[in-house]
Amino acid sequence: MNRYENFISRIENVHRKGEQGVFFISGPSASGKDGLWKFIKEMKFIKKYNLHRPVSSTTRLPRIGERCGKDYFYVYPEDIIKSDGSYSENAINPIKFGSEKGRDIWYCYTKDQIDKPLSEGKSLVFLVLGSALEFYKNYFAEKFPNVTLISTVWTISPEAQKEKFFKREPNKTKEQLELIYQSRLPEREMYDKMIDEGKFDFIDNADIRLKDWKDEQIKNRKK
């Protein structure tokens, strides 16, 4: 089976037992995580397995083509961090990523996107940074002890990662793309270390023919 089939089979196994799950998906840039939820939607698995994908909030401004509620929820800084430096009660594990045009850039998930769906009996497909995995595992274990937690990491070779950077940034020079790749090396090292330490329940390798398989599955589903 390829990594999409593997991921769905884990959801199906938990659903078959009548249980709720939080299905973490993590991995380096360009490993293909963003396409997972689109595939789940197109295959009509959301209703079948009663799934929800939490959408995170950010204080940065939307980029061209991004949509509120789909890519992120775009909020004001005070919606995440108060004037006295304390975090909003609705914000979970806020992380600051510098500033933009004099505006502090924060990212976080909210209780509306995590606690509420779980309280309603849904399971979560949760895209999470490797550095935040341990926090969320502890968070769910404490607040929702009866929910099954399954973590998966998608790996990608350096060669395939470079190739994807080139494909999705066609206007950049090879030198610019090489700088982007080099900037991702600490992220790759983090995931390599986490894998070596056994931090993930499952490790799935990138499948270079995945797109062909995915398109075929969707086409057959629509017949």
Side-chain angles (χ1 to χ4, degrees), residues 74-138:
Y74 301 97
V75 300
Y76 294 105
E78 54 267 30
D79 292 324
I80 293 180
I81 186 166
K82 301 176 183 177
S83 57
D84 62 2
S86 62
Y87 297 138
S88 163
E89 293 180 359
N90 196 37
I92 303 173
N93 195 35
I95 299 175
K96 184 179 178 181
F97 283 93
S99 61
E100 184 179 89
K101 297 180 180 179
R103 182 189 186 113
D104 287 341
I105 304 303
W106 290 84
Y107 291 86
C108 75
Y109 285 101
T110 65
K111 293 180 181 178
D112 292 339
Q113 287 293 304
I114 291 179
D115 292 15
K116 188 173 182 290
L118 284 173
S119 299
E120 293 172 345
K122 297 181 183 295
S123 291
L124 304 185
V125 174
F126 197 176
L127 278 69
V128 64
L129 291 171
S131 57
L133 178 64
E134 203 64 30
F135 170 87
Y136 282 107
K137 277 187 174 181
N138 293 333

Side-chain angles (χ1 to χ4, degrees), residues 22-210:
V22 174
F23 304 96
F24 296 104
I25 177 67
S26 194
S29 300
S31 58
K33 306 178 298 296
D34 289 337
L36 176 62
W37 186 248
K38 181 181 178 182
F39 174 73
I40 287 173
K41 287 173 63 177
E42 291 175 327
M43 293 297 287
K44 304 187 186 305
F45 289 145
I46 295 177
K47 184 175 181 181
K48 182 177 182 180
Y49 299 125
N50 198 20
L51 301 174
H52 172 76
R53 177 203 168 201
V55 177
S56 58
S57 296
T58 179
T59 60
R60 72 164 172 79
L61 299 174
R63 294 172 184 154
I64 295 174
E66 290 183 340
R67 289 189 291 168
C68 187
K70 178 180 180 294
D71 298 287
Y72 294 96
F73 288 105
Y74 301 97
V75 300
Y76 294 105
E78 54 267 30
D79 292 324
I80 293 180
I81 186 166
K82 301 176 183 177
S83 57
D84 62 2
S86 62
Y87 297 138
S88 163
E89 293 180 359
N90 196 37
I92 303 173
N93 195 35
I95 299 175
K96 184 179 178 181
F97 283 93
S99 61
E100 184 179 89
K101 297 180 180 179
R103 182 189 186 113
D104 287 341
I105 304 303
W106 290 84
Y107 291 86
C108 75
Y109 285 101
T110 65
K111 293 180 181 178
D112 292 339
Q113 287 293 304
I114 291 179
D115 292 15
K116 188 173 182 290
L118 284 173
S119 299
E120 293 172 345
K122 297 181 183 295
S123 291
L124 304 185
V125 174
F126 197 176
L127 278 69
V128 64
L129 291 171
S131 57
L133 178 64
E134 203 64 30
F135 170 87
Y136 282 107
K137 277 187 174 181
N138 293 333
Y139 179 87
F140 289 120
E142 180 179 346
K143 295 203 68 175
F144 299 94
N146 296 323
V147 171
T148 301
L149 307 179
I150 297 178
S151 60
T152 299
V153 61
W154 282 358
T155 63
I156 184 170
S157 69
E159 295 76 18
Q161 189 180 42
K162 275 189 178 183
E163 184 180 343
K164 282 199 171 183
F165 285 156
F166 273 80
K167 284 183 178 180
R168 69 187 190 185
E169 298 280 1
N171 296 324
K172 285 187 167 56
T173 65
K174 288 186 177 182
E175 291 76 16
Q176 289 173 322
L177 288 165
E178 182 63 29
L179 288 174
I180 293 174
Y181 172 74
Q182 293 296 329
S183 73
R184 299 295 194 275
L185 289 180
E187 178 189 57
R188 291 188 61 87
E189 292 171 358
M190 175 192 71
Y191 278 106
D192 289 344
K193 182 180 179 182
M194 290 182 71
I195 290 169
D196 289 342
E197 293 174 347
K199 298 293 187 182
F200 297 97
D201 299 313
F202 296 97
I203 303 166
D204 289 330
N205 293 326
D207 182 347
I208 59 173
R209 298 183 61 187
L210 182 60

